[in-house]
Amino acid sequence: MNLTQDRVRSIGWISVLVVCGAMLVALTLRVNAVKSEVYATEKRMVYTQQQINFLETEFQTRANQQALKKLNDLEFGYQAPGAGQYLEGERQLAALGAPAGPDAPAPIRFASADGDE
């Protein structure tokens, strides 16, 4: 096979172009891999920032609850109702009422818009 100088030069340039093309493809794949890693890292950063915001809100809420509990204990002394404070029915509620005393005002009556009376 008789190769001329022009033919060898053409094969050399084609080889150089093939090598450059292969390197370009490899570089493109590497760049895309790095871009994917950057995107995943940014996504994790956003998720982490959301978690931080949630935890800060939770911390502030719990701190406010503690402050409210201290204020309640110090100033008001309110307590949650116990089981004995609940009524079982209307009869128990009626039993809590006392008869009107001699100086008690008359019960309040409301006007009715019905034309029947």
Side-chain angles (χ1 to χ4, degrees), residues 60-87:
Q60 290 172 353
T61 302
R62 289 180 187 261
N64 287 340
Q65 286 176 347
Q66 291 296 325
L68 288 174
K69 183 181 180 320
K70 286 180 184 177
L71 180 67
N72 179 42
D73 292 343
L74 180 67
E75 296 288 328
F76 305 114
Y78 294 139
Q79 294 178 354
Q85 292 177 288
Y86 290 100
L87 302 176

Side-chain angles (χ1 to χ4, degrees), residues 39-105:
Y39 177 73
T41 303
E42 287 176 348
K43 202 170 166 182
R44 282 194 310 264
M45 287 171 53
V46 167
Y47 176 74
T48 303
Q49 186 61 44
Q50 289 174 344
Q51 289 297 104
I52 288 171
N53 291 341
F54 172 76
L55 291 173
E56 285 176 348
T57 304
E58 182 74 17
F59 180 76
Q60 290 172 353
T61 302
R62 289 180 187 261
N64 287 340
Q65 286 176 347
Q66 291 296 325
L68 288 174
K69 183 181 180 320
K70 286 180 184 177
L71 180 67
N72 179 42
D73 292 343
L74 180 67
E75 296 288 328
F76 305 114
Y78 294 139
Q79 294 178 354
Q85 292 177 288
Y86 290 100
L87 302 176
E88 292 183 19
E90 293 86 6
R91 290 182 187 248
Q92 230 179 3
L93 180 62
L96 290 177
D103 297 333

